[in-house]
Amino acid sequence: DGGITQSPKYLFRKEGQNVTLSCEQNLNHDAMYWYRQDPGQGLRLIYYSQIVNDFQKGDIAEGYSVSREKKESFPLTVTSAQKNPTAFYLCASSIIRAGRNEQFFGPGTRLTVL
Amino acid sequence: DQQVKQNSPSLSVQEGRISILNCDYTNSMFDYFLWYKKYPAEGPTFLISISSIKDKNEDGRFTVFLNKSAKHLSLHIVPSQPGDSAVYFCAASADSGNTPLVFGKGTRLSVIA
């Protein structure tokens, strides 16, 4: 059963703590992405990676870090430097091919900072 | 500056009627456009897409129209069903899809039985 998994579904952390959100895909997709969704907002791009061991900052990368050591995995760390981390985080992946770029999304992780 | 705009935050439609969701964009480099549907606390699901070389793409009850000169696209759902009630996001990409998608803020569609 191919797809994208994100864990955990809900995550609570204390202010000042770093936390890592997991994202795994078995679709053999080249590219992976992290988005953040806030109420009334669209999806804002945090980081993306088109190849292993390489990643690019998105529009709101400050306070976040990522790694892409394996094609299947793209974990996101929310650091204590992120001023407003409470949000719904979505991971996505896609094949890189000219003319098409449908991204497939995981179920999301809701992070709440207490 | 928002490059993809969905100016209607919400839309209510009677079951069986047509739903029309609109999207405008400002970046003339965008050449690939997509619509996603999202339920609360879930990831978006891909609905339909269109390349800039076309002006219409149809998939069952869903049709997307693209007007490049107006930098405008729309999603038509006919007939609308209660299960269509969700938030719909418009997204765009440049360079034939090799750049990350840029999303609008979404339109919440409510289909009333």
Side-chain angles (χ1 to χ4, degrees):
Chain A
D1 223 333
I4 302 173
T5 57
Q6 291 186 243
S7 60
K9 179 72 173 173
Y10 299 95
L11 190 56
F12 297 89
R13 81 152 212 224
K14 292 182 180 178
E15 205 169 330
Q17 288 180 336
N18 291 357
V19 64
T20 297
L21 283 60
S22 166
C23 178
E24 305 276 333
Q25 55 97 2
N26 60 5
L27 300 166
N28 199 32
H29 284 176
D30 306 297
M32 297 186 75
Y33 312 81
W34 274 105
Y35 294 89
R36 166 182 173 140
Q37 187 190 16
D38 296 283
Q41 298 287 325
L43 279 62
R44 293 185 291 168
L45 182 65
I46 304 173
Y47 268 98
Y48 68 100
S49 167
Q50 296 186 319
I51 194 169
V52 173
N53 291 323
D54 186 51
F55 46 83
Q56 309 295 327
K57 291 182 179 181
D59 301 318
I60 54 167
E62 185 175 350
Y64 299 98
S65 66
V66 293
S67 63
R68 186 90 186 274
E69 296 176 3
K70 298 186 299 182
K71 188 176 185 179
E72 304 79 22
S73 178
F74 192 41
L76 173 74
T77 297
V78 185
T79 75
S80 56
Q82 168 50 234
K83 292 183 173 30
N84 188 17
T86 294
F88 189 53
Y89 290 87
L90 287 157
C91 178
S93 69
S94 69
I95 295 175
I96 296 177
R97 57 184 172 184
R100 305 282 297 271
N101 187 8
E102 296 99 16
Q103 291 183 16
F104 295 88
F105 284 83
T109 292
R110 180 161 298 282
L111 172 65
T112 303
V113 174
L114 305 171
Chain B
D1 184 31
Q2 256 193 297
Q3 297 185 72
V4 177
K5 299 179 185 178
Q6 294 177 257
N7 292 320
S8 298
S10 62
L11 175 68
S12 288
V13 171
Q14 288 279 342
E15 181 180 6
R17 308 294 284 266
I18 183 171
S19 295
I20 300 176
L21 295 93
N22 293 305
C23 178
D24 297 294
Y25 62 96
T26 58
N27 188 341
S28 57
M29 298 300 293
F30 288 150
D31 57 7
Y32 186 59
F33 305 89
L34 307 88
W35 285 93
Y36 284 83
K37 175 180 179 180
K38 186 181 181 301
Y39 294 115
E42 292 185 10
T45 53
F46 170 72
L47 208 52
I48 192 169
S49 63
I50 188 166
S51 164
S52 61
I53 62 173
K54 295 185 175 181
D55 54 19
K56 176 182 173 181
N57 189 26
E58 196 170 350
D59 184 2
R61 296 186 298 115
F62 303 92
T63 303
V64 56
F65 295 93
L66 176 63
N67 182 335
K68 289 189 292 292
S69 60
K71 294 193 178 68
H72 176 84
L73 62 154
S74 60
L75 175 68
H76 292 209
I77 306 173
V78 182
S80 300
Q81 299 173 353
D84 295 330
S85 297
V87 176
Y88 289 79
F89 289 100
C90 172
S93 177
D95 192 22
S96 299
N98 286 323
T99 60
L101 298 178
V102 179
F103 285 84
K105 291 190 176 184
T107 296
R108 181 178 302 279
L109 174 65
S110 299
V111 179
I112 305 161

